[in-house]
Amino acid sequence: MTGRARAMWTEPLAAVLLLLPVASPAQQPSAPHASPTNPAPMHDMPGMSEHAMVMPIPMPAGMPMMPGLVGLAPGVTPFLPGAGLDLARLPAAKASAVVRLKNGDTLDLTATLVRRAIAGHAFAMYGYNGEVPGPLIRVPRNATIVVRFHNRIDLPSAVHWHGVRLDNRSDGAPGVTQEPVAPGADFIYRIHFPDAGIYWYHPHVREDVEQAMGLYGAMLVDSPDSDYYPPANRDAVLMLGDLLVNADSLIPFGREGPDFALMGRVGNVLLVNGEPDYALHVRRGEVVRFQLVNVSSSRTWNVSFGGAPMKLLAGDQSRFEREERVMSVVLAPAERYVVEVRFDRAGRVPLVNAVQAINHYQGEFVPEVDTLGMVTVDAAPVAPDYGRAFSTLGAHPDVSRDIDRYRGYFDRPPDKRLTLALATTALPLATVQFMSIDTAYYAPVEWVDGMPDMNWLSTSKQVRWVLRDDVTGKENMDIDWHVSAGSVVKLRIFNDPTSFHPMQHPIHLHGQRMLVVARDGVPSTNLVWKDTALIPVGATVDLLIDASNPGAWMLHCHIAEHLGSGMMAVLHVDPPAQGSGR
Ligand SMILES: [Cu+2]
């Protein structure tokens, strides 16, 4: 991959760089690779003048800021919630508490400002009930609960119960199912949980701000079957997020709309459950069931546990047909996976995110491994020891049987086709020139922000991410799809690599469930019900939607800044006509 990319890069780069008012990347001295949690200070940047200091975003060491962009700022008003408040008067954020609810119970959920200390700095941020992550809501499958949401932050908000096939009125999608909840106002949600697994809740207004500032929480839905998952010594929910910090300040958001519209706001401080240094103590031989949730605005993760054996059990909305051994787990924004890990040797086991970063300026891949925290394994053995069960790979014929009635649709022609693309206007000239050549090479997945200055300067006024219906040519909210409840819809999505600087998109459908039945024509062999599917650049992905839940449901990219730049449509699942006899 790396060799091919370099080969593809070199020729057009050399030719087109002559057009740019910048030194060739080849002339830039290469500096040691900085970790995202320890970005190089701005003044250490090679060739940076004092003037460059006006761009308050961190640039990784060795990455030149494009001179044509120095001194520019995104065309939005800088905005930081809680700015100017006396931090000492804000309550310190608390860790997430487990709230066990049963059918018919009610929970009050209040969004407020809190004080958080991250990597030695204190920030005004948001929390639900003063907690980050918000309360872990644990319910039995088939429970219905009531949540009274109280918006006490300085922006309109709403709560979306991600992945839950609930009543449309409680979906928390402003503009589609409800009005935004104004600051000081309240809204009542009734949430029914038909499927066991791990889900999460988050705002559906300015996610680029509200979610990044700490508004997210998990929901664990327990199956009545005590053997639903293989036995584990403990459960651990890991919500993977990131935060963009420069020195001791948060990078402001755009008040009128998102900035970082091209690649999304990719943080440089990696967080597990809101904290930069995850720690877990276990006994030797312990099997831990990790429920992984990606709550980042834009970052796709690839996590593993220092080579400790790992077993993949479940995805967004169900178990897999068969358990699998895996080396690591890739999670795009909003995706969830359930894995079990056995810590069979005493010592310290790092939780790492290992990816291949792309330096857009120099056209090369750079391996990047970040330690998110540490699992300390005691020498004393655990009891009971589930080693034997862990070494067995279970199968779930009930999952396969449930999917059987959809298999006849797998090879049919698609009912709907979408192409993912991008339109831009009025980006800085240097950005357009550079990205034009950069498009000569594309990465299927951008794991980090490989062009922070260009990205920061792009706003939702200049960037429009596009879902385009191949048949009608309609785009985003002009797409007006209607299907009847109970229908099965095959949706083919193509991520066009020839559009202007394409990117991967995690496409999320509200309120239904779907199967990824094929990628690039290769059928999936171990299926799982999903609500979010990653579409890499250049990929064609076939989704089979079980459109069983009536209502108006959003279909959108879960990169917060792409959603904020228009990348959404509505799928109307119409109830059966009166008297149709269904
Ligand atoms: Cu996207």
Side-chain angles (χ1 to χ4, degrees):
M1 175 70 84
T2 306
R4 190 190 65 144
R6 277 185 176 148
M8 290 176 67
W9 174 274
T10 309
E11 300 308 319
L13 181 70
V16 190
L17 265 178
L18 298 173
L19 303 172
L20 293 171
V22 294
S24 158
Q27 296 168 12
Q28 297 289 347
S30 61
H33 187 61
S35 114
T37 49
N38 186 23
M42 298 279 295
H43 50 78
D44 287 353
M45 296 302 304
M48 283 295 103
S49 65
E50 286 297 308
H51 191 47
M53 300 296 285
V54 298
M55 189 172 278
I57 54 162
M59 296 287 290
M63 186 176 287
M65 190 176 287
M66 189 174 290
L69 301 179
V70 169
L72 301 182
V76 284
T77 310
F79 162 68
L80 257 186
L85 290 182
D86 179 2
L87 282 179
R89 301 181 69 131
L90 291 178
K94 297 172 287 184
S96 177
V98 180
V99 179
R100 285 181 180 270
L101 299 176
K102 55 185 193 308
N103 188 40
D105 281 354
T106 296
L107 172 70
D108 283 286
L109 191 72
T110 306
T112 62
L113 281 166
V114 295
R115 182 179 76 247
R116 279 171 74 186
I118 296 173
H121 297 288
F123 304 115
M125 297 185 73
Y126 293 148
Y128 284 122
N129 290 1
E131 301 171 17
V132 181
L136 168 58
I137 299 172
R138 190 154 192 176
V139 293
R141 182 168 73 81
N142 276 331
T144 302
I145 64 167
V146 173
V147 176
R148 296 192 294 225
F149 171 59
H150 312 290
N151 182 11
R152 301 295 179 264
I153 64 170
D154 44 358
L155 291 176
S157 196
V159 190
H160 171 55
W161 311 93
H162 186 113
V164 181
R165 298 191 289 158
L166 43 46
D167 186 296
N168 192 232
R169 283 171 299 182
S170 286
D171 192 41
V176 180
T177 68
Q178 69 170 94
E179 292 302 311
V181 183
D186 311 291
F187 194 89
I188 292 176
Y189 297 96
R190 288 177 61 84
I191 308 152
H192 178 70
F193 297 91
D195 306 298
I198 177 80
Y199 300 87
W200 67 299
Y201 56 96
H202 62 79
H204 225 307
V205 179
R206 288 305 300 272
E207 289 93 314
D208 66 307
V209 181
E210 297 186 10
Q211 199 174 288
M213 291 289 278
L215 293 182
Y216 52 81
M219 299 180 281
L220 258 182
V221 184
D222 292 313
S223 167
D225 172 8
S226 59
D227 296 328
Y228 186 76
Y229 294 126
N233 297 101
R234 73 173 86 198
D235 269 302
V237 174
L238 305 188
M239 306 196 86
L240 306 169
D242 57 7
L243 190 64
L244 189 59
V245 179
N246 194 29
D248 58 354
S249 55
L250 298 176
I251 305 295
F253 301 86
R255 183 174 281 285
E256 302 86 351
D259 46 14
F260 293 95
L262 283 170
M263 299 183 70
R265 179 176 292 242
V266 180
N268 56 354
V269 179
L270 307 187
L271 303 172
V272 178
N273 297 336
E275 297 288 336
D277 201 4
Y278 178 73
L280 180 69
H281 291 260
V282 302
R283 295 195 151 194
R284 183 165 53 85
E286 193 160 330
V287 173
V288 181
R289 187 185 302 123
F290 290 100
Q291 319 256 358
L292 307 171
V293 185
N294 184 350
V295 301
S296 316
S297 289
S298 182
R299 180 183 292 270
T300 297
W301 300 73
N302 177 39
V303 295
S304 56
F305 291 84
M310 190 186 303
K311 194 160 88 164
L312 178 64
L313 308 179
D316 296 346
Q317 292 172 318
S318 81
R319 294 176 297 184
F320 281 85
E321 291 183 273
R322 289 182 309 284
E323 293 163 8
E324 284 182 33
R325 287 206 191 292
V326 291
M327 302 296 290
S328 64
V329 182
V330 171
L331 297 99
E335 281 193 305
R336 287 91 64 209
Y337 285 101
V338 183
V339 298
E340 282 184 358
V341 180
R342 183 160 191 255
F343 298 97
D344 49 6
R345 261 176 277 175
R348 285 156 61 80
V349 178
L351 167 60
V352 300
N353 181 48
V355 302
Q356 216 172 28
I358 297 153
N359 180 336
H360 282 269
Y361 294 83
Q362 291 171 320
E364 61 183 18
F365 287 97
V366 187
E368 191 163 291
V369 179
D370 282 285
T371 300
L372 310 173
M374 201 61 73
V375 180
T376 305
V377 186
D378 290 346
V382 73
D385 184 340
Y386 294 123
R388 180 178 296 238
F390 181 79
S391 66
T392 308
L393 291 177
H396 303 295
D398 54 331
V399 177
S400 297
R401 276 196 300 275
D402 179 29
I403 292 171
D404 280 347
R405 57 199 167 103
Y406 302 91
R407 290 188 208 274
Y409 296 88
F410 285 13
D411 295 326
R412 294 193 186 179
D415 303 291
K416 308 274 185 198
R417 290 166 179 265
L418 280 180
T419 294
L420 310 182
L422 169 62
T424 62
T425 51
L427 284 172
L429 180 63
T431 298
V432 173
Q433 288 182 318
F434 189 89
M435 287 180 53
S436 302
I437 52 166
D438 188 35
T439 300
Y441 163 70
Y442 66 83
V445 174
E446 299 266 11
W447 301 92
V448 302
D449 181 353
M451 38 179 243
D453 48 357
M454 290 185 275
N455 189 22
W456 175 59
L457 288 168
S458 63
T459 73
S460 59
K461 295 176 186 170
Q462 298 155 312
V463 170
R464 198 171 78 92
W465 287 99
V466 175
L467 307 169
R468 185 188 310 120
D469 183 325
D470 287 1
V471 175
T472 65
K474 289 184 176 174
E475 295 180 347
N476 295 345
M477 289 301 277
D478 289 339
I479 294 172
D480 191 28
W481 284 347
H482 284 259
V483 302
S484 56
S487 58
V488 178
V489 180
K490 185 169 176 181
L491 169 59
R492 177 167 292 172
I493 302 181
F494 171 57
N495 191 346
D496 184 358
T498 67
S499 60
F500 182 71
H501 204 271
M503 194 173 158
Q504 76 274 9
H505 302 283
I507 298 295
H508 171 48
L509 175 61
H510 288 208
Q512 316 293 328
R513 58 180 191 168
M514 62 194 189
L515 300 165
V516 178
V517 295
R519 289 181 179 273
D520 296 322
V522 179
S524 305
T525 54
N526 187 12
L527 292 158
V528 61
W529 288 104
K530 302 272 293 167
D531 51 66
T532 308
L534 181 63
I535 321 288
V537 175
T540 300
V541 175
D542 286 349
L543 305 173
L544 200 72
I545 300 167
D546 172 22
S548 55
N549 193 12
W553 302 99
M554 286 185 70
L555 174 75
H556 66 90
C557 176
H558 218 284
I559 291 177
E561 293 77 9
H562 292 187
L563 171 60
S565 302
M567 202 168 199
M568 62 185 133
V570 175
L571 173 67
H572 299 269
V573 179
D574 299 326
Q578 293 279 323
S580 70
R582 290 186 58 171

